[in-house]
Amino acid sequence: MSEAKTALEGLRLDRDEAPGDRPRRRWWLWVVLLAVVAGLAYAVTQRPVAVRTVEARPAQVTEPRILLNASGYVTARRDATVSSKVTGKVVEVLIEEGMKVEAGQVLARLDDTNVKASLALTEAMLAASKAALAETRVRVEEAQRELRRISALVAGKIATEADLDRAEAEVKSLEARLDKFAADTTVADREVGVRRQELEDTVIRAPFAGVVTVKNAQPGEMISPISAGGGFTRTGICTLVDMASLEIEVDVNESFIVRVTPGQVVEAALDAYSEWKIPCKVIAVIPTADRQKSTVKVRIGFDQLDPRILPEMAVRVAFLGSGSAEPGEAGVLIPRAALVSTDGRDTIWVVEQGRATRRTVTKTGAQEEDLIVSAGLKPGDKVVIEGMARLRNGARVTEAKR
């Protein structure tokens, strides 16, 4: 400031000097004044800026690494096209698409008129067989009593041996007839059982609990398990899916199948809910390859099922490994206060050899109070967290670490 004061004193006009000397003296005084001001401005701008810095730290990987990506579909391990055991005409359908059914629940009924008539006939035949059996049993008892009387008379020399032979033959004949009627009764009883089973077969029940996804038949249509009627005959009433058996099937290129093992942790994402990460595990690697596609099928099970997961949905999976990345591979950590938005870009100030430098960085995430930067910074770099407002590129700084 003494130099500036001296320069200002030099601007004072001397009333005693000659008029011709004034312009020459004023010119060099202005030069001195400008030099002093420039020197002061340079001194001010070159004064170090006090800032506070921290060192960028490597971000630690807390999640398993992705070893392999694949795509596939959600499939049901247990689904069935429910049909009847016999050919018949559908008279009643009790289900609709989307309906939940329990095991054994009635899904549809077939025309049972002829079966009921056959059942009534066999029941009548059974009743007749039982009546004939009862009659024959009475006759056998009567013939046995007659045989005992004839035997007593023969012993008393009253009846002849011929009478005894006839009585014995009658008993044996009636006993044989009794055995025949007993067998006929058994056959008739079995026939009744067959007809009753045929009647039960006209009622179509759910083989397991699930959800109806397709309704195949309507009342009035013919249905057959072997489609005997050609294209006009249905082969099933509905398609039933056990939602508890849903899993994922993916095809993995055989060159990378070594990266997949049973029990391996998998992260799945449905195309319908791409942001929803679903935890899964490998159930099994099917021990055969597809010759045409050079792939191996892998079954993946859900850790927990969800109503949003539906059969035949497209899904992408990532097979995860247990190893961690190298330090810094996932990025570095910096305090949130270090990030500055400049013209829509994320920037930071870095101190190198006592001077500040602005860098553009790529932010990829956050961990608690820190940000994860994946590009533009490396572990150990000194990042400014206080005093950024007075900085410019190349400015000298004095730093105080946190």
Side-chain angles (χ1 to χ4, degrees), residues 205-319:
R205 301 178 184 274
F208 51 82
V211 176
V212 177
T213 58
V214 180
K215 182 180 178 181
N216 301 108
Q218 298 290 344
E221 293 183 317
M222 292 297 294
I223 186 172
S224 173
I226 58 174
S227 189
F232 298 100
T233 302
R234 301 288 186 180
T235 57
I237 290 293
C238 67
T239 300
L240 187 63
V241 176
D242 181 4
M243 291 298 183
S245 68
L246 292 182
E247 60 183 38
I248 299 172
E249 284 188 1
V250 298
D251 289 331
V252 177
N253 191 291
E254 61 183 27
S255 301
F256 304 111
I257 196 63
V258 69
R259 303 182 186 180
V260 181
T261 56
Q264 183 176 359
V265 177
V266 176
E267 187 176 74
L270 299 171
D271 286 0
Y273 307 97
S274 57
E275 300 300 323
W276 178 28
K277 305 303 181 184
I278 310 173
C280 307
K281 284 186 175 62
V282 175
I283 298 176
V285 178
I286 307 304
T288 185
D290 188 303
R291 181 181 299 180
Q292 281 72 33
K293 297 188 295 183
S294 297
T295 58
V296 177
K297 183 174 293 185
V298 177
R299 293 175 52 209
I300 301 171
F302 296 100
D303 287 356
Q304 185 174 1
L305 292 172
D306 189 279
R308 292 174 288 180
I309 304 173
L310 302 177
E312 306 306 323
M313 273 187 165
V315 60
R316 291 172 287 105
V317 299
F319 295 91

Side-chain angles (χ1 to χ4, degrees), residues 8-87:
L8 292 174
E9 289 293 338
L11 293 175
R12 189 186 303 274
L13 294 177
D14 189 353
R15 301 294 182 178
D16 297 333
E17 64 182 353
D21 295 335
R22 291 178 182 176
R24 185 167 54 252
R25 181 182 179 89
R26 189 177 299 141
W27 176 82
W28 69 265
L29 288 176
W30 279 107
V31 172
V32 172
L33 178 60
L34 291 175
V36 170
V37 172
L40 291 174
Y42 179 80
V44 171
T45 56
Q46 292 301 310
R47 182 180 299 170
V49 179
V51 296
R52 186 176 296 274
T53 63
V54 297
E55 288 189 358
R57 312 186 313 275
Q60 298 298 324
V61 178
T62 58
E63 297 182 355
R65 302 176 63 185
I66 296 177
L67 301 181
L68 180 66
N69 290 305
S71 59
Y73 295 91
V74 177
T75 61
R77 191 65 178 169
R78 185 163 66 161
D79 64 346
T81 299
V82 183
S83 183
S84 65
K85 295 171 62 177
V86 297
T87 301

Side-chain angles (χ1 to χ4, degrees), residues 93-364:
V93 179
L94 304 175
I95 46 90
E96 294 292 341
E97 291 91 342
M99 180 183 294
K100 295 182 178 180
V101 299
E102 300 297 329
Q105 181 175 333
V106 177
L107 305 180
R109 289 187 173 88
L110 304 182
D111 184 10
D112 58 3
T113 304
N114 295 339
V115 178
K116 283 183 177 179
S118 298
L119 176 61
L121 176 61
T122 54
E123 287 177 341
M125 293 174 62
L126 175 62
S129 296
K130 289 181 177 180
L133 178 64
E135 178 187 3
T136 304
R137 187 175 291 113
V138 172
R139 290 185 176 277
V140 168
E141 292 175 354
E142 180 185 7
Q144 288 175 345
R145 288 194 298 270
E146 181 68 18
L147 177 59
R148 287 192 292 272
R149 286 194 295 270
I150 295 298
S151 297
L153 293 175
V154 170
K157 304 297 184 180
I158 299 174
T160 63
E161 292 292 334
D163 295 331
L164 180 61
D165 292 340
R166 283 193 297 271
E168 290 177 348
E170 183 68 16
V171 170
K172 291 179 179 179
S173 174
L174 290 175
E175 287 179 346
R177 188 177 300 176
L178 180 65
D179 292 340
K180 177 181 180 301
F181 283 138
D184 290 344
T185 301
T186 300
V187 171
D189 185 63
R190 300 287 176 82
E191 187 70 18
V192 169
V194 170
R195 299 306 177 193
R196 286 176 178 171
Q197 183 60 52
E198 290 178 354
L199 182 62
E200 176 63 23
D201 290 343
T202 63
V203 180
I204 302 174
R205 301 178 184 274
F208 51 82
V211 176
V212 177
T213 58
V214 180
K215 182 180 178 181
N216 301 108
Q218 298 290 344
E221 293 183 317
M222 292 297 294
I223 186 172
S224 173
I226 58 174
S227 189
F232 298 100
T233 302
R234 301 288 186 180
T235 57
I237 290 293
C238 67
T239 300
L240 187 63
V241 176
D242 181 4
M243 291 298 183
S245 68
L246 292 182
E247 60 183 38
I248 299 172
E249 284 188 1
V250 298
D251 289 331
V252 177
N253 191 291
E254 61 183 27
S255 301
F256 304 111
I257 196 63
V258 69
R259 303 182 186 180
V260 181
T261 56
Q264 183 176 359
V265 177
V266 176
E267 187 176 74
L270 299 171
D271 286 0
Y273 307 97
S274 57
E275 300 300 323
W276 178 28
K277 305 303 181 184
I278 310 173
C280 307
K281 284 186 175 62
V282 175
I283 298 176
V285 178
I286 307 304
T288 185
D290 188 303
R291 181 181 299 180
Q292 281 72 33
K293 297 188 295 183
S294 297
T295 58
V296 177
K297 183 174 293 185
V298 177
R299 293 175 52 209
I300 301 171
F302 296 100
D303 287 356
Q304 185 174 1
L305 292 172
D306 189 279
R308 292 174 288 180
I309 304 173
L310 302 177
E312 306 306 323
M313 273 187 165
V315 60
R316 291 172 287 105
V317 299
F319 295 91
L320 306 180
S322 58
S324 298
E326 294 298 326
E329 184 177 339
V332 295
L333 296 177
I334 61 172
R336 295 177 184 270
L339 194 68
V340 180
S341 180
T342 305
D343 298 329
R345 297 178 301 171
D346 292 330
T347 62
I348 59 172
W349 288 97
V350 179
V351 175
E352 295 178 317
Q353 298 180 353
R355 295 187 179 273
T357 304
R358 187 195 299 271
R359 289 188 189 176
T360 300
V361 296
T362 301
K363 180 183 67 174
T364 57

